[in-house]
Amino acid sequence: MRAFLLLLLLIVGCSHKVNIVSPAPHFDRSKYDAKASKAMVATQGEATSKATLSILEKGGNIIDAFVTASFTISVERPHSTGLGGGGFLLYYHHAENKVYAFDFREVAPILSTSDMFLTKEGEVQSLLSQEGALAVATPGLVAGLFDIHQRFGRLPWSEIIAPAIDLARNGFPLYDHLHTALKDRKHLLAADPEARKTFLMSDGSVPRMGTVIRQENLAMTLEKIANKGRDGFYKGKVAEAIIKTVRSKRGILTLKDLRDYKMKERTPVFSNYKGLKVFSMPPPSSGGIHVIQILKMLEPHQLKKMGPQSIEAVHLTANSMQRAFVDRATYLGDPDFQSVPVKELLDEKYLSALAKEIKTEKAIRAQDIKPISLPYESSDTTHFSIADGEGNMVASTQTINGWFGSGVIAQGTGILLNNEMDDFAQKVGAQNLFGAVGGGRNLVQAKKRPLSSMSPTIITKNDKPFLALGSPSGTRIITCVAQTILNTVEFGMPLFESVAATRIHQQWLPDILKIEEPFLSEKVEKKLKVMGHNISHEKLGCSIQAIKRENGLWYGVSDPRGEGLAIGL
Ligand code: GLY
C-alpha cells in the first residue's frame, strides 16, 4: 500500500489530482510513451518515426536523422508541412555543448507590397493571404535541410531522402487528422487540378479512412532533389514549374526569389530557469521569447506549493500568458527589418517586474493592459524531437501554415505551396488606438520573414542534455510548450503526464481563457469564473513531441492527442 501511495505521489509530482487526456481507444499508450533507450525519436507520424530511427540504426548522425524526419513528415503530413514551406531547427551539439538555431522560414517575394492584401479602401481581404497563389511566400525548407546537412551530416544526402521517396511512391493509409483536414479544405483542393487528383476521389469526394494516399509526382521531385541537392528545387524544371503555376494564378513569386533564398543561422534566445538552461527559437519567431517570459514570470511564485491545476496556479499561469502576448503584439517582427528588443524582453529585472504585475486578485481585463490588435495565425504545422546515442538533440518545427497551405500544387511536382504570407499583419488593426508599435513591425515587406510562434526548445541541466520539445498550433504553441516545461520542471511530473495534462491558453486578445478537454475540476473552473476569467472550452490543437534524458537514457513522448509515435533504439 505504501509503495502504491509513493508511486501515486511520484506520478502527479504532489498530492494534487491532475486531469490528463488518454490516447484514443484504438491506440495503445506504448505508442506515445517510449522508455529508457539509447536514442529517441518523437514525431507526429508513425512512418516518419520509424524511418528516422532506421537512419540512426544504420549509423546516421542526428542531422541525418533530422533530414530524414523532415522529408518523410512532409510526405506523411502533407496538410501540415512540406517542401513548399519552411521551419526552424534547434540543434544541441553535445561535443561543443552548444545550441545552434537555424531559420529556414519562408520569405515574402520581392514583388510584395505592404498593401497587397488590402482593398483600395484599405480593408483587409483575408482570403487573398490564405488561399491561392498570392498567399505563397518563397519556400525555405529544402535550402535549410541541404545547407545544414552539408555542414553537419554524415550519411550521403540521397540515402537519407530515400525513405521519403518510398513513402510518397508506395503511400500510407489515410488517418484521422489528414481525413479531417481534407474535409475542411475540400473546396480549396478541388480548385487545383493536381491537388484534386492527388487527394480527392475522381468524383471530387474525400477518400475514406484507410484509403492509400500515394504522391507519385512528389516522389519524382524528391528524386530530383536527391540527385541535384538544393538546385533540384530552386533551379531547373521544378523551379520553373513552381513559378509557372504561381504566375498562372496571379501570384507574384519569381525565379529570382527562389534562386536568392538563403537560410539563416541565428543566435538562440536563452535564459537560466530553476537551475537549468533554456534555449529557444529567436525572432522571426516570437515563440522562444514568450516561452521564456512565461516561465520566468512564474518562477518566483513557486507554483509547486499551490499544486498543478490548482486555482492559484492556473490563474497565475493565465495571467503570465496574457502578459507575454501583449509584448508579442507590441515588439515582435523580422529582426532583419525592425529591431526587436530581445535583450530587454528577457531582462531579469523586467521579467521580475512583470512577475509582480501578474499577481492579482482578479483576472486582468485585456483593455486594462494595452489595446493593440494581433495578427491572425493559423493552427497547423508539425514538430519533431530526436536524440542520438551521443547526447545530441534536435527540436524542429516546420510548416506550410494552414491546412494544405495555399492549396496550390506546382503542376507536375506534387509540391503543395505554403500560405505563409498570412502570418504577416495585413495592416495594423483598427483597435490599435495608440499608434503603430503593434502589428506594425510585422507588416508585409519584400524579402521579410513573417512572424512565427514556432517554439522548438532545448533545455540542458549541468551542461548536459535534458529536454527537447515543441508543438504545432499557431499561437498556442507558445503556451503548450511553456506548460509542458512547467509540468516537468516545476511540478516534477513524469514526461507522459506532463504532455497529457489538460492545457489552458490565454493570448490577451481575445480576452478568453481557453481550457481543453478533459477540462479542469468543476471547483477550479467555478472559482476562476468568479475571479473574472472568461472561460471557454476549446480544442487547442497542440501536439507536443518531447524527449527527456534521465540517468543517461532517453524517454520520449508523442502527444496522446495525435497519431504520432515515440520510439527508442
Ligand atoms: N505558421 C505558423 C507559425 O509560424 O507560427
Side-chain angles (χ1 to χ4, degrees), residues 105 377-378 380-381 399 401 420 423 451-454 474 477:
R105 178 84 165 152
E377 237 185 317
S378 80
D380 220 52
T381 289
T399 188
N401 200 20
E420 216 67 61
D423 270 351
L451 184 60
S452 171
S453 295
M454 296 192 288
I477 295 173

Side-chain angles (χ1 to χ4, degrees), residues 53 133 186 230 242 276 314 404 555:
L53 198 75
K186 191 172 109 177
R230 68 172 279 164
I242 293 174
L276 307 169
V314 174
F404 297 102
Y555 293 74

Side-chain angles (χ1 to χ4, degrees), residues 343-407:
K343 215 168 126 230
E344 290 79 356
L345 290 168
L346 296 178
D347 177 74
E348 294 275 351
K349 276 200 195 122
Y350 174 65
L351 292 172
S352 72
L354 292 190
K356 289 191 186 104
E357 236 180 67
I358 61 163
K359 189 160 171 33
T360 57
E361 295 284 310
K362 294 267 181 193
I364 309 167
R365 289 280 67 85
Q367 69 270 21
D368 294 337
I369 313 182
K370 228 178 190 188
I372 305 160
S373 75
L374 276 176
Y376 159 88
E377 237 185 317
S378 80
S379 66
D380 220 52
T381 289
T382 194
H383 180 88
F384 58 80
S385 302
I386 311 172
D388 67 8
E390 294 156 32
N392 301 301
M393 302 186 274
V394 296
S396 183
T397 315
Q398 306 178 0
T399 188
I400 51 172
N401 200 20
W403 275 342
F404 297 102
S406 62

